[in-house]
Amino acid sequence: MIRRVLEELLIFLSPFLLFAFYLAIRGRRPDQRMHWEGQGFRLTLAGIALVILSLVATGLFSERHRGGYVPPHLENGQVVPGRFQ
């Protein structure tokens, strides 16, 4: 679960990182506030749009399991791990 949250956070932050990279390539200092003024709203919308697109793509193209899930259980004194059947 933490991995998924971190992935989505990185996807959300990618427009900000790309804009900082763009500023660095253009010879401007990305740490100066004047370059970021007026861009925060656009970058936030772009980040949210990317997160939504990644969630939709994951829902559409992720692996589907045909059978039901069998939770972990005991058989003959041994723990049998959960699996899809």
Side-chain angles (χ1 to χ4, degrees):
M1 183 69 185
I2 291 174
R3 179 184 64 92
R4 185 68 181 163
V5 170
L6 290 176
E7 287 174 354
E8 297 303 326
L9 182 63
L10 184 62
I11 290 171
F12 174 76
L13 292 176
S14 62
F16 295 92
L17 297 172
L18 288 173
F19 185 66
F21 183 67
Y22 167 75
L23 289 176
I25 287 176
R26 299 281 300 188
R28 299 181 180 144
R29 294 188 57 197
D31 59 343
Q32 291 181 343
R33 185 179 180 125
M34 67 181 192
H35 299 303
W36 293 88
E37 290 177 357
Q39 302 300 324
F41 184 69
R42 292 180 190 164
L43 294 171
T44 301
L45 284 180
I48 290 172
L50 287 174
V51 168
I52 290 171
L53 286 174
S54 73
L55 291 173
V56 168
T58 300
L60 291 175
F61 301 113
S62 65
E63 181 182 351
R64 301 282 186 237
H65 298 284
R66 298 274 180 212
Y69 179 72
V70 178
H73 59 280
L74 288 175
E75 273 185 22
N76 299 325
Q78 299 290 325
V79 176
V80 178
R83 64 187 184 282
F84 287 95
Q85 284 186 335

